[in-house]
Amino acid sequence: MLTALSIRNIVLIEALDLAFSQGLGVLTGETGAGKSILLDALGLVLGDRADSGLVRSGEEQASVTATFEFAELPQQVRDELGEAEVDLEPGEALIIRRRLKADGGSKAFVNDQPVGVALLRALAPALVELHGQHDDRGLVNPRGHRALLDRYAGADVAGVSAAWDEWRKAREELANAQEAIEQARADQDLLIAHLAELTAIEPEEGEEETLANTRIDMQKGEKLAGDLEDLRAVWDGSESPLASLRVAARKLDRIAEEHPLLAEALGALDRAVIEAGEAEEKLQAAGEALQHDPLELDRIETRLFELRALARKHNCQVDDLPEVMRTLRHKLDAIEQGDADIAGLKQSESEKHGIYRALAETLHAKRVEAARNLDEAVAAELAPLKLDAARFQTAVARQPEEKWGPQGLDTVEFLIATNPGAEFAPLGKIASGGELSRFILALKVALAEQGGAATVIFDEIDRGVGGAVASAIGDRLARLAGDGGQLLAVTHSPQVAARGRTHYMIAKSSEGTVTRTSVALLDETGRQEEIARMLSGAEITEEARAQADRLLEGV
């Protein structure tokens, strides 16, 4: 609920700090004292358009800060703050501040974190519900009527919503499977041709790299063929260096024992023979690796060309061709298995459709019954509120199947007819703002519903009425506020003001050319004087005070 409102330099308000509590709070004051300024200031922190005309004359900027406290943060507030990445600790107050410059610029903050004004508008429905002369939110908005009726009926909308989700998923799975099968069948001949082409060549992973490396070696062999042949001639035959080294080693071996240096020479010669032997082996291996076979090279190049052409055709890498083959086989297998799969998905979709429809039909019947009960309950409230000629109707309209959704089969809208014989029209189309507010009050009493907002404000709901009607309005406002709710009423009626748990008086004063609006929380004596003023006018009489006492005692 709203616990504090701090205003600086808004029109006639220079500085104002107000504290609010639970129950019914009333705001009174003479016409023109500035009650609308309070509502305009509150509208700023709820995301209303920033109007530089609200900045007090001669000041550079204005600000409004509203503090809301909750035993448990409303889910909508948690969701919106979470999406905006605004941190709020459990039990922490929600503090919204809006700063407005004289040049028209504005900034918004939630718990000192800069935010966009759009977040304030998103939070507003959960924070404050305002019913006044130009009400276009709260109960007037038909988008919320279905949820209100469902709460009144105690309907299981969550079960219908879950069944809708299951049906929707089943429909999507069926549609996707049918689309895939139809596409596969349309491409079946092409799939078969592609698979035959790939099967004929049987690509293997890593094959491209192996073939490419082999081709490079063979091309090098072609280039080095002459040099290798010359080297082969040097190393082959009895006159080759290696043969000569071996002959020399055998001869030296026979005389090596004759002198240590001969033994060392033999060791060196043996090592040379070994190294020369290894060189001969490597040259032979290199010759074999670099062997140039024109037919094999042609085969390799042809294979590489075919593999790369297929890769381009299927828009993939050569190493991905085996996976392409597996995918094509899977698609062709799916065509064969498709009919059986589609039959199963159709059965599942039909079953889930049946479950959803049965639950939605039950919800529809419950809404129709609840609508009749609500109409009767609202009708019982109209006469005491001087709306006895008016009629109220909860229109529950079944929609065609293509418009069904997670909330069921229906649209719901509250309709009214203000005069006998008049056609029913949407709640928000009523001509008189005072009548609209009383209709809202009757509806809220019938719903036993404080609305989706933590704080409800009625702006001059008693306009144009008095006596017993005003008393009936005050009684219903107090009942709506109850012990745990918070309702604020801007009123000109002493009967309504007397029902308030707290009473704020708005006054305007002037000092020379400076005019200020102030708001004071009245004590019991102050309440008696203000209600007496409301009863008698400018001059407060003892009779008016006595009448004020009777009103206060009757509460």
Side-chain angles (χ1 to χ4, degrees):
M1 70 173 185
L2 177 66
T3 57
L5 185 65
S6 178
I7 303 173
R8 296 291 183 271
N9 298 322
I10 296 289
V11 193
L12 300 179
I13 299 176
E14 186 174 23
L16 180 63
D17 295 293
L18 293 175
F20 298 95
S21 58
Q22 292 179 336
L24 175 62
V26 296
L27 295 91
T28 64
E30 296 181 354
T31 301
K35 294 185 290 295
S36 63
I37 300 175
L38 281 177
L39 299 181
D40 289 341
L42 187 58
L44 279 176
V45 296
L46 298 176
D48 286 355
R49 184 179 65 85
D51 182 358
S52 60
L54 292 174
V55 179
R56 182 176 172 84
S57 178
E59 300 293 338
E60 294 183 357
Q61 67 178 24
S63 69
V64 182
T65 304
T67 302
F68 296 87
E69 297 183 29
F70 305 92
E72 183 178 353
L73 202 63
Q75 184 63 48
Q76 181 180 348
V77 174
R78 287 202 299 271
D79 292 344
E80 296 294 346
L81 292 180
E83 188 172 335
E85 298 182 351
V86 175
D87 296 327
L88 195 64
E89 297 296 327
E92 183 181 3
L94 177 66
I95 303 173
I96 301 177
R97 178 163 56 96
R98 185 89 178 272
R99 192 168 63 205
L100 176 63
K101 293 185 177 181
D103 62 9
S106 77
K107 291 185 177 180
F109 304 85
V110 172
N111 287 48
D112 289 329
Q113 298 181 59
V115 298
V117 177
L119 176 61
L120 306 190
R121 296 193 194 101
L123 293 173
L127 300 178
V128 177
E129 182 180 325
L130 174 62
H131 302 292
Q133 300 301 303
H134 304 289
D135 191 350
D136 61 356
R137 294 184 294 189
L139 296 182
V140 174
N141 192 332
R143 285 182 294 180
H145 292 176
R146 184 169 55 196
L148 287 169
L149 181 64
D150 288 340
R151 284 203 293 272
Y152 179 76
D156 179 21
V157 182
V160 174
S161 180
W164 162 264
D165 287 340
E166 290 297 318
W167 178 32
R168 179 181 54 80
K169 290 176 185 176
R171 281 188 303 170
E172 289 179 356
E173 288 176 3
L174 175 59
N176 291 339
Q178 287 174 327
E179 182 181 356
I181 291 295
E182 289 171 5
Q183 183 64 42
R185 284 184 176 141
D187 297 339
Q188 188 171 16
D189 291 342
L190 185 61
L191 291 174
I192 292 172
H194 282 169
L195 184 57
E197 192 175 34
L198 285 165
T199 303
I201 199 170
E202 282 294 335
E204 299 177 1
E205 290 186 22
E207 184 179 8
E208 181 187 27
E209 183 178 1
T210 300
L211 290 173
N213 290 336
T214 302
R215 183 182 65 172
I216 290 171
D217 287 344
M218 294 185 74
Q219 289 172 337
K220 287 179 181 177
E222 182 180 15
K223 191 182 300 183
L224 299 173
D227 294 333
L228 288 172
E229 187 60 34
D230 291 342
L231 284 169
R232 193 176 293 112
V234 170
W235 287 96
D236 285 349
S238 59
E239 301 300 325
S240 68
L242 180 55
S244 298
L245 283 174
R246 286 172 177 161
V247 169
R250 286 195 297 270
K251 290 181 179 180
L252 186 57
D253 182 55
R254 290 196 293 268
I255 61 173
E257 294 180 357
E258 299 300 327
H259 194 279
L261 289 176
L262 293 175
E264 291 178 10
L266 178 60
L269 193 57
D270 286 341
R271 290 194 295 273
V273 170
I274 293 171
E275 292 290 338
E278 291 179 358
E280 183 181 34
E281 291 173 0
K282 293 185 183 299
L283 283 170
Q284 185 177 355
E288 293 173 356
L290 297 172
Q291 185 178 6
H292 172 233
D293 182 348
L295 293 177
E296 179 63 14
L297 179 59
D298 183 63
R299 186 194 69 79
I300 290 173
E301 289 182 335
T302 300
R303 177 76 173 174
L304 279 171
F305 175 81
E306 291 174 344
L307 289 170
R308 289 169 177 172
L310 281 174
R312 287 193 298 272
K313 188 173 187 176
H314 292 282
N315 194 28
C316 68
Q317 300 296 318
V318 171
D319 281 349
D320 295 331
L321 288 174
E323 179 60 30
V324 172
M325 288 179 65
R326 289 190 287 271
T327 301
L328 292 175
R329 289 193 181 103
H330 177 74
K331 287 182 178 180
L332 288 169
D333 290 342
I335 294 174
E336 296 178 5
Q337 296 295 326
D339 290 339
D341 293 341
I342 293 296
L345 291 172
K346 281 183 177 179
Q347 178 66 23
S348 175
E349 188 273 342
S350 178
E351 290 174 357
K352 289 173 180 177
H353 172 265
I355 293 171
Y356 166 76
R357 180 161 191 160
L359 291 172
E361 290 286 0
T362 300
L363 177 59
H364 171 75
K366 199 159 191 175
R367 282 170 175 164
V368 170
E369 181 183 3
R372 286 195 297 266
N373 295 335
L374 180 59
D375 292 350
E376 292 175 3
V378 172
E381 296 291 333
L382 295 180
L385 296 175
K386 202 178 178 181
L387 294 169
D388 43 322
R391 292 168 295 147
F392 176 85
Q393 181 183 81
T394 305
V396 179
R398 178 192 290 269
Q399 298 298 293
E401 184 166 338
E402 61 268 19
K403 292 187 178 181
W404 293 356
Q407 307 303 314
L409 320 177
D410 315 302
T411 60
V412 176
E413 186 171 8
F414 299 145
L415 305 176
I416 56 173
T418 55
N419 298 304
E423 296 290 332
F424 281 98
L427 189 61
K429 301 298 183 182
I430 190 169
S432 164
E435 284 183 324
L436 174 59
S437 293
R438 278 179 279 145
F439 255 112
I440 295 294
L441 179 58
L443 181 56
K444 290 184 77 68
V445 170
L447 289 167
E449 164 73 33
Q450 294 186 28
T455 300
V456 180
I457 300 175
F458 280 93
D459 182 18
E460 299 187 5
I461 189 175
D462 47 34
R463 178 184 289 268
V465 300
V469 177
S471 294
I473 291 173
D475 175 64
R476 282 155 177 79
L477 289 174
R479 280 162 49 194
L480 273 178
D483 294 327
Q486 184 184 53
L487 193 151
L488 301 175
V490 177
T491 179
H492 290 289
S493 167
Q495 290 89 346
V496 173
R499 299 305 302 265
R501 178 182 293 182
T502 53
H503 191 151
Y504 304 87
M505 187 180 73
I506 305 170
K508 184 168 64 175
S509 61
S510 298
E511 295 179 11
T513 60
V514 178
T515 302
R516 295 183 178 87
T517 289
S518 62
V519 181
L521 176 62
L522 300 179
D523 58 16
E524 289 301 317
T525 301
R527 290 191 69 191
Q528 181 204 46
E529 286 295 297
E530 173 61 3
I531 292 174
R533 179 199 65 77
M534 297 171 74
L535 287 164
S536 64
E539 183 179 349
I540 302 176
T541 64
E542 289 303 319
E543 182 180 353
R545 290 190 177 95
Q547 179 63 19
D549 285 339
R550 285 192 289 273
L551 285 175
L552 290 168
E553 289 171 0
V555 175

